[in-house]
Amino acid sequence: MVITDERGRILVQRVDYRTTCLLPGGAVDKNEPPAPGAARELREELGVTMTVDRGLAVDWVSADSLNAPASMRFPGEILHVYDGGTWDIEQIAAIRLPDREIKSVEFVEPARLPSLMSPGDARRALSALRARINAAGPVLLENGLPIAPTVLDRAGALRTARARHHLPFHAGPAPEQLSVVQVWGWLLGPDGRALVLLEPDTGAALLPGGAPELLDRGDPLATLRREVREEAAAEFGAPPLFLGHLCDPDKPSARLRYAAPLTRLGPPSVDPATGRNHIRVLATPEQALELFDWGLPAADQLAAVHQARVRLGIPRAARQPLTELPVATDLTTL
């Protein structure tokens, strides 16, 4: 079972019979189907009763990869991974561990899974979590890797720690005494999805935008337009809507957020600031937030994005698979 908290961290268990962590779950009993088996294991391990009806992945595990004596290996093993959903504080508080087997549970950043789990278990968990974000339905895996990789798999999303900004979001303008250190934009396509960039070498996600430079002459919109061109070869319509700002209580600085209609996507270009060619994808705002670690203040920013979307006359996007934009794209066809 893949279970996350409201920050997108994934639940792992420390058990008394292995040195590595596991996802909740276990082996099925004789003649027991996988989904009821997962629900039973959840009751036994966490004391939680819930319906298990959303699959994320089916993994074929070769005999050679099993960490077991040769006499105990099967010709291969089939593992089903189900979606346990996002748990709030009350659901997490309701966890009750058994007297034996499960020593503790914790929610961890997905990038930590390879250091906490066996290699195959970590690959499977990350593949299943990417499948949940991508929303294209269950995926087929072989030894933890998808046989038809999505853009999130190819980019290696979640293998490095997500951008962490647990800063309060303020809908009003930034106080004049705060220096602007960052300007990012929620650029919304005609179908309501937002442009998200993935770094090709780390898989890390970011919104288009960046730090002001002297040539911007203190104009945050000039910063945003320049950074959007450099990072994504994109243009946005005018006038952008100001959403608000984030401020760090320990630093006299502000990070500005805007929303605007995405009007043009040219051929990908190398970002002169980094020398990288970002991978461009369209994702719903909700999917985008799952690729960040912005903490609970992210909900306030998400609400501001949807308010701006309504003002811009852009429809709300249904959850759907991420769309990679590797070439110049006619946005009217989306």
Side-chain angles (χ1 to χ4, degrees):
M1 296 284 289
V2 168
I3 298 167
T4 55
D5 65 6
E6 294 176 300
R7 282 178 49 191
R9 297 177 301 178
I10 189 168
L11 185 149
V12 296
Q13 301 179 154
R14 298 185 185 275
V15 297
D16 59 13
Y17 56 90
R18 286 183 63 166
T19 58
T20 54
C21 293
L22 297 171
L23 296 181
V28 296
D29 291 337
K30 186 176 182 180
N31 296 323
E32 182 181 43
R40 173 185 53 77
E41 289 283 346
L42 202 62
R43 290 193 304 272
E44 295 174 357
E45 294 180 343
L46 301 182
V48 174
T49 299
M50 64 179 294
T51 300
V52 175
D53 58 6
R54 296 191 303 275
L56 292 177
V58 178
D59 189 13
W60 173 79
V61 181
S62 64
D64 291 342
S65 69
L66 295 175
N67 185 21
S71 61
M72 296 175 61
R73 295 179 189 175
F74 297 92
E77 200 170 27
I78 300 294
L79 290 96
H80 296 250
V81 186
Y82 293 96
D83 187 359
T86 298
W87 289 14
D88 58 25
I89 295 175
E90 289 75 18
Q91 289 172 295
I92 295 172
I95 293 175
R96 297 293 181 269
L97 301 183
D99 295 333
R100 50 182 293 274
E101 186 178 340
I102 311 300
K103 296 193 295 184
S104 64
V105 299
E106 65 176 312
F107 286 88
V108 302
E109 176 66 23
R112 290 187 58 200
L113 294 181
S115 66
L116 296 173
M117 308 178 83
S118 70
D121 288 348
R123 290 194 300 268
R124 183 182 313 112
L126 284 172
S127 294
L129 187 54
R130 291 177 189 134
R132 188 170 86 166
I133 295 172
N134 192 55
V139 295
L140 297 178
L141 311 177
E142 292 180 358
N143 288 323
L145 297 175
I147 62 174
T150 68
V151 61
L152 292 181
D153 298 309
R154 295 193 302 273
L158 306 177
R159 64 188 167 91
T160 55
R162 299 169 298 156
R164 187 180 190 274
H165 297 300
H166 290 199
L167 302 176
F169 176 76
H170 304 279
E176 292 184 2
Q177 68 268 25
L178 299 182
S179 60
V180 175
V181 297
Q182 184 190 77
V183 185
W184 278 3
W186 288 92
L187 306 187
L188 303 172
D191 65 353
R193 290 186 291 169
L195 178 63
V196 178
L197 307 179
L198 302 175
E199 294 187 351
D201 49 349
T202 66
L206 65 153
L207 292 179
E213 296 182 2
L214 289 177
L215 58 89
D216 301 328
R217 300 180 182 276
D219 181 358
L221 289 181
T223 297
L224 185 60
R225 288 193 184 279
R226 176 183 52 76
E227 288 284 349
V228 166
R229 291 191 190 105
E230 292 176 354
E231 291 182 341
E235 304 283 347
F236 56 86
L241 297 180
F242 180 70
L243 299 182
H245 70 281
L246 292 82
C247 60
D248 190 332
D250 301 322
K251 298 178 182 179
S253 60
R255 301 166 185 263
L256 307 187
R257 298 290 182 263
Y258 287 85
L262 181 63
T263 57
R264 179 183 177 275
L265 273 172
S269 58
V270 175
D271 183 353
T274 64
R276 291 179 294 216
N277 192 329
H278 289 100
I279 300 168
R280 306 177 301 182
V281 299
L282 288 179
T284 68
E286 290 76 12
Q287 287 170 310
L289 287 180
E290 292 176 53
L291 296 171
F292 306 132
D293 180 14
W294 289 356
L296 298 183
D300 296 329
Q301 189 172 163
L302 180 63
V305 171
H306 283 302
Q307 290 170 5
R309 175 187 56 76
V310 172
R311 292 174 59 190
L312 293 168
I314 296 174
R316 182 169 190 143
R319 195 173 180 92
Q320 59 192 285
L322 275 65
T323 300
E324 184 177 4
L325 305 167
V327 296
T329 302
D330 180 2
L331 297 172
T332 63
T333 63
L334 296 175

